[in-house]
Amino acid sequence: MGVIVSYDVYGFNGGRNRLICDQLADAGFNVIMPDYYRGDKWSDDNDENDLYPWVRKTPIDKVTKDLNDHVYPYLDKQGCKKIAMVGYCWGAWVVFHSSTSGKLTCGV
C-alpha cells in the first residue's frame, strides 16, 4: 500500500514530517511526501497578513496536477494497489479534495 503524506504550511522539513514518513515506511508502507511548495514553505518570520496570499500560491489544481502527473504514477510503478493519504493542517485540505478523485482507498 502506498501512503502519501501531505504536510502543513511549514512544508517538507517542518515538524516531525520526515519521522512520520520513516515510521510508516518501517511498518511496510511505500511512503511519498511530495514537495507541493517547491521549497517555498511558510516561516514564522513571515508577516501573518501574508499567509492567505501565500496559501493561494499553491491552489488545489496545481496540487492535483502534481498528484496525477507524478505521485500516482510513481506509486503505481512501485506496485501499490491501494493508496492512502494522511494530511496535517493545510495537508488535510489536500486529503479532502483528493478524496473525490477515486484514487484513494482512504484519507486521514
Side-chain angles (χ1 to χ4, degrees):
M1 174 179 264
V3 178
I4 303 166
V5 177
S6 296
Y7 41 74
D8 60 17
V9 296
Y10 297 104
F12 195 78
N13 292 313
R16 300 181 315 142
N17 293 326
R18 289 182 180 223
L19 173 64
I20 291 166
C21 289
D22 289 343
Q23 290 171 328
L24 289 167
D26 287 345
F29 297 101
N30 191 325
V31 182
I32 187 168
M33 184 170 55
D35 186 9
Y36 301 116
Y37 305 148
R38 307 295 194 270
D40 183 26
K41 64 180 179 53
W42 181 256
S43 169
D44 285 336
D45 296 332
N46 294 359
D47 183 329
E48 65 183 38
N49 293 319
D50 294 333
L51 180 60
Y52 185 65
W54 178 84
V55 167
R56 293 184 65 199
K57 292 190 321 185
T58 310
I60 196 61
D61 59 334
K62 182 178 174 183
V63 172
T64 300
K65 183 169 177 30
D66 280 351
L67 292 169
N68 288 333
D69 292 353
H70 304 288
V71 177
Y72 297 138
Y74 169 79
L75 291 172
D76 186 51
K77 286 180 186 175
Q78 298 302 309
C80 298
K81 302 294 182 208
K82 296 181 179 181
I83 301 173
M85 184 182 287
V86 60
Y88 308 97
C89 195
W90 178 88
W93 173 78
V94 174
V95 174
F96 173 79
H97 285 281
S98 299
S99 292
T100 65
S101 71
K103 297 184 181 189
L104 299 181
T105 301
C106 69
V108 179

